[in-house]
Amino acid sequence: MSETHPADNTAPGSAPDWAAWSREAVETMMQRNAEWPRQFGLQDSPAYRWDLDSATLVLEGPLHEVVATVCLVGTTSDSEGSFLWSWANEAIPRQHGEALQAVHDFGRENHLSLLTTPRIQGGRPEATECLCIAGRLQRALGTFIDKRGDVTLYFTILHLQVATGEEQLPN
């Protein structure tokens, strides 16, 4: 999939096809999500733990742990039926919102309310679209989704590496 700016693919004077660009972002993240677990030997639903303060996700493979640097893009609440961007959620550590600044700026520059509205009505489909758009704009290696009770968390994976002894995080 292309990493170009959507305007690069349009005829002069015509508007970009944002729906197609968004679909392409979802397809790109689906492809990447199929690749990175294979690359790191994590195909069989490994145990994991994440830490919002350190922006890390640790995946426990059969032979080693893999440490990811992540960005919490946002959360959905089943009871509220909405997606909330991390940059608009005071309960989320600031570094996540800062990592989304390029996404927010892109939304403002291109008048895309999906990327600039703090809370969006909807659930997993809307959140997944936002996640994949963020992933495309951040050039993420993939995405990760975790559900905790009423709340689902949507992460982009920005960096992955096999943990060495001193890098392994405590349980």
Side-chain angles (χ1 to χ4, degrees):
M1 292 286 129
S2 170
E3 288 295 336
T4 60
H5 185 283
D8 295 342
N9 298 327
T10 59
S14 66
D17 182 348
W18 293 114
W21 188 86
S22 179
R23 282 190 304 278
E24 190 174 286
V26 172
E27 291 167 7
T28 297
M29 287 303 117
M30 288 174 61
Q31 290 171 354
R32 290 180 184 174
N33 286 339
E35 181 57 31
W36 69 261
R38 276 195 305 268
Q39 225 175 4
F40 286 89
L42 299 169
Q43 295 95 322
D44 296 327
S45 300
Y48 61 89
R49 62 192 181 278
W50 45 261
D51 182 295
L52 290 181
D53 291 325
S54 65
T56 55
L57 167 68
V58 178
L59 301 143
E60 298 175 21
L63 301 175
H64 54 263
E65 289 186 338
V66 175
V67 179
T69 302
V70 295
C71 171
L72 179 61
V73 172
T75 56
T76 54
S77 166
D78 293 340
S79 61
E80 293 179 17
S82 63
F83 171 77
L84 179 61
W85 285 97
S86 287
W87 53 261
N89 187 341
E90 293 180 12
I92 304 299
R94 278 183 54 185
Q95 68 263 30
H96 298 279
E98 291 168 359
L100 290 168
Q101 190 61 49
V103 178
H104 196 242
D105 290 347
F106 185 86
R108 269 197 318 273
E109 291 165 10
N110 292 289
H111 310 288
L112 300 171
S113 62
L114 182 67
L115 307 181
T116 60
T117 303
R119 184 179 303 275
I120 299 161
Q121 286 307 115
R124 192 174 183 120
E126 293 79 9
T128 300
E129 181 179 11
C130 291
L131 174 65
C132 292
I133 290 170
R136 182 176 184 171
L137 292 170
Q138 292 176 324
R139 291 180 169 36
L141 301 174
T143 62
F144 184 83
I145 299 172
D146 190 25
K147 186 164 179 65
R148 298 288 168 110
D150 179 65
V151 175
T152 304
L153 300 97
Y154 299 85
F155 296 92
T156 50
I157 299 172
L158 305 176
H159 181 263
L160 284 162
Q161 70 182 37
V162 174
T164 60
E166 66 271 3
E167 291 172 330
Q168 293 188 1
L169 298 177
N171 288 325

